[in-house]
Each structure stands twice: as structure tokens, then as C-alpha cells.
Amino acid sequence: VAEYVVENPQGTPMAGSLKLAFTADTQASEAAHVRVEGQRVLVTGKDKLLAVVDLADLGGLSAAVKGSELTISGTLAGGAKARCWAYAPMEWDAKADELSGGESLHATAKAYWQKQIAQGMKIEIPDKLLQNLISASQAHCMIASRSEDGGKRIDPYIASAYYGSLDTESHAIIRGMDMMGQSEYARRGFDFFIKRENPAGYLSHGYTMMGTGPHLWFLSDHYRLTGDTQWWRDLTPNVENICQWVGKQCRKTMRKDARGVDVPEYGLVPPGTVADWQDWGYIFSMEGYYYAGLSRAAEALKEIGDPRAREFAKD
């Protein structure tokens, strides 16, 4: 839905105009068919309704159609406004009478987003542009995400269109939203990855072996941020399984060289890739994530009296 306003800010009458051009297919440069029906303009193409423009509030201006263009023009009195609403059904085959009520739709959308943002941390700073940017960033993360199982889980896309969810990158979004107080978003985002944990005890969703570390780390911090002990207790079997797997991996490198001295990589997670390039090695960023995940999880498990917390802390 788009609202177009033509305004005369002066005290005397002035001429004003607004021109809208419609295209049925931008790639093929195919023009749309535009016609006026009463106080509405119907735009069609590709055998479907593409848009409707409501002309009911033009305030003395007149509308004319030429080819695929709609022109609204005339003289506006001093301080007067003319307005029209344009409706474009992007994802469904709509009927013209379904497309109306711009004011109501705007109020509904505004109320929805105010509710979503209000769930998070309340921020009030002198710089309103930055304050709006913080809110808009949260909204963008929500818009870019996808829904799974009727919204029970959130698939945190790392971009709006072409990239889906990838562990480590999606976890950064979940953690950022969690730190902004959007705990419900974070919870359902974590549920998406919890469902994809390998039974062996690791997480690698469409990317590398790096994701297991931040997964453990951010799950533990979500418990600390929310104080939801029951959620953490319910998740304990999953967390224990991952911690145990990490410990097993670390013990694979606990060996000595021919002189009986610990090898330099003693106790590290075995080599792996950490990003798009296929360089295998003991990458400190990956090792750091695993350390952070294991240590933070062990601390959080200790807080609820888990008997294996000491073992995982030692690892």
C-alpha cells in the first residue's frame, strides 16, 4: 500500500500534479493496461489485477489516463492537500473490491510493529535518527526471517532474499535480537537450530563445523538473559550431548610427539573450515567459539545443579 499526497504549502492557489507509470513486466518492459472506473483506477497485466488506485480524496484535482500512465493534476487552494491510495497485491490474485481502506491498513500495520518493537528493550536517546535505526534494524531482522511450523520456529535468514539461514551467521542475528530484549524472537530462532542438532552432538546447518560453539554459547546466555530456569532444564539433555561431543573432539588431539612432549595443538578441536574458503586448520576463531560455548554452558549447568557440569568445565 502506498499513500501519495500533493500539498500546497503556500497561502495562494498553485498548480500541482502527480504522475504514476505502471509496468506489467519490468524485465520484458511490458506496459500495464490502465483504466478508470468511477473513483478508482484499475491496473491489469499478465491476465491479473496488478494495482488499484483510489481517487476518492483528490480535493479538486482531476485524473486522466494515457496509455500506461495515470496523471493527477489541477489547482490546489492555499494550504490544501490532495491524496490517493495505491494498492498492489504482490502475492495473491486479488479482486478490486478487496483493495481498500488505506487508513485502516496503515493503523493496523503501525499497531503491529509498535507491539513487536515494544517487546524488546526500550531505548530513548537524543538522536532520533539513531533511535529509529535501532528499531528499524530489529524490524528488518523480523521481516527477513521465515516461519516454520506455523510460526513455532523462526528461520533467521541472514539476508532478505538470496541467503537462507546459516549457523554462526544466523546465530549472530539471534544473539543481537536477544541482547535487544527480543527474547521471543530469540527463543523461536534457537528452536529452529535445536531441531537441527545432529544426534551425535554437533550443529552444522548448511555451512561449517564452526556453528556448534556459538550455538552452545548463545543458548547459555539466553538462559542468563531471561532467567528462564525451566527452559534451561528442559534443554539440558541437548546441552549435555553437545558438551560431551566437544569433549570427545578435544581428546582426539591430546597426544604427544616423538619426544614425549605435548603437540602444539594439544586439546584443541580437530581441524576444520570456518567460512567459504576450504582452508583446513586449527583456526583460533573456531577454537575460541568452542571454548566459549563449552565454558559458558558448564557454568550455566552448574547453576541448576547438573551433575556433569564439573566434567564439562574441566574439558
Side-chain angles (χ1 to χ4, degrees), residues 263-280:
V263 294
E265 66 273 15
Y266 187 95
L268 296 182
V269 176
T273 58
V274 299
D276 297 339
W277 51 88
Q278 292 299 309
D279 288 338
W280 286 64

Side-chain angles (χ1 to χ4, degrees), residues 216 224 239-240 242-244 246-247 250-251 254 267 290-303 306-315:
L216 261 185
R224 289 191 175 84
V239 176
E240 287 183 338
I242 298 174
C243 289
Q244 181 175 296
V246 175
C250 292
R251 283 187 282 278
M254 291 180 181
Y290 272 89
Y291 175 85
L294 192 58
S295 61
R296 299 287 282 178
E299 292 171 9
L301 290 173
K302 182 180 179 181
E303 290 180 15
D306 188 282
R308 301 193 65 181
R310 184 188 297 270
E311 169 194 341
F312 298 143
K314 184 179 179 181
D315 283 340

Side-chain angles (χ1 to χ4, degrees), residues 72-243:
I72 297 169
S73 60
T75 300
L76 276 177
K81 293 182 181 180
R83 180 176 64 171
C84 66
W85 293 88
Y87 306 90
M90 303 295 290
E91 300 294 341
W92 79 98
D93 293 327
K95 295 180 174 59
D97 56 7
E98 294 180 295
L99 305 176
S100 62
E103 290 280 14
S104 174
L105 291 170
H106 177 255
T108 301
K110 184 176 180 179
Y112 172 84
W113 283 109
Q114 286 178 333
K115 180 181 178 181
Q116 299 304 313
I117 299 303
Q119 293 176 10
M121 178 166 54
K122 292 175 175 56
I123 299 174
E124 192 169 326
I125 55 178
D127 189 335
K128 295 304 178 184
L129 176 62
L130 179 56
Q131 181 170 329
N132 288 335
L133 180 61
I134 293 170
S135 295
S137 297
Q138 295 174 56
H140 182 81
C141 288
M142 295 177 187
I143 293 170
S145 298
R146 303 302 193 267
S147 171
E148 184 175 82
D149 195 12
K152 291 181 180 178
R153 291 179 294 277
I154 289 176
D155 184 355
Y157 267 42
I158 61 171
S160 297
Y162 299 109
Y163 291 98
S165 51
L166 298 174
D167 54 48
T168 67
E169 296 191 27
S170 289
H171 276 78
I173 294 170
I174 295 173
R175 179 172 176 79
M177 292 290 276
D178 215 2
M179 297 291 284
M180 295 303 297
Q182 295 288 352
S183 56
E184 179 63 26
Y185 177 98
R187 180 76 56 88
R188 287 190 282 162
F190 282 130
D191 285 344
F192 176 85
F193 285 102
I194 291 169
K195 185 177 174 61
R196 285 157 177 78
E197 293 170 0
N198 189 286
Y202 63 87
L203 173 69
S204 181
H205 175 63
Y207 208 23
T208 70
M209 292 303 294
M210 193 168 176
T212 304
H215 184 59
L216 261 185
W217 178 7
F218 299 162
L219 283 175
S220 307
D221 279 5
H222 181 72
Y223 154 65
R224 289 191 175 84
L225 286 166
T226 61
D228 192 339
T229 303
Q230 189 57 54
W231 174 82
W232 185 238
R233 288 188 185 278
D234 293 341
L235 197 61
T236 294
N238 298 65
V239 176
E240 287 183 338
N241 194 35
I242 298 174
C243 289

Side-chain angles (χ1 to χ4, degrees), residues 50-71:
L50 299 178
V52 170
V53 182
D54 189 346
L55 306 175
D57 194 16
L58 289 187
L61 300 186
S62 59
V65 170
K66 183 178 180 180
S68 60
E69 293 183 344
L70 166 65
T71 301

